[in-house]
């Protein structure tokens, strides 16, 4: 019974963390075409965009990895 409660809470926590990462990912905007004078050049916007996406991907995979380790398999007991 205690493992079920732990798994339920842990699973919910990990799911909420993954949900938060997905929400941040949705808010990252793809670079616009060339803007006005004084705006960040498209190439720099693209580098920033790709760096943000790569970082979020790494965070997402790390959460999934920890989730697989932390959630106790009911068949182990």
């Amino acid at each position: 019974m205690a493992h079920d409660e732990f798994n339920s809470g842990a699973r919910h926590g990990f799911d909420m963390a993954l949900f938060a990462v997905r929400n941040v990912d949705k808010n990252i905007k793809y670079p616009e075409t060339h803007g006005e004078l004084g705006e960040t050049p498209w190439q720099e916007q693209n580098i920033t965009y790709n760096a943000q996406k790569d970082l979020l991907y790494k965070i997402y995979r790390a959460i999934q990895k920890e989730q697989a380790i932390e959630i106790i398999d009911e068949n182990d007991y």
Side-chain angles (χ1 to χ4, degrees):
M1 181 74 173
H3 295 298
D4 292 338
E5 291 174 11
F6 173 79
N7 279 342
S8 178
R11 190 170 289 119
H12 177 71
F14 282 117
D15 287 344
M16 292 307 295
L18 293 172
F19 181 72
V21 172
R22 286 190 296 267
N23 279 341
V24 171
D25 185 40
K26 289 179 187 177
N27 291 325
I28 296 175
K29 303 284 188 249
Y30 192 75
E32 300 288 329
T33 57
H34 298 285
E36 299 295 321
L37 185 63
E39 289 186 9
T40 306
W42 183 85
Q43 293 85 356
E44 289 181 29
Q45 291 179 32
N46 194 39
I47 290 170
T48 302
Y49 171 81
N50 288 328
Q52 290 172 338
K53 289 289 191 170
D54 288 345
L55 183 59
L56 280 178
Y57 177 79
K58 289 178 182 180
I59 293 169
Y60 193 85
R61 290 293 170 218
I63 292 170
Q64 286 183 326
K65 182 179 175 183
E66 287 299 317
Q67 183 178 19
I69 293 170
E70 288 295 322
I71 303 295
I72 298 171
D73 189 9
E74 293 168 1
N75 295 330
D76 289 346
Y77 293 94

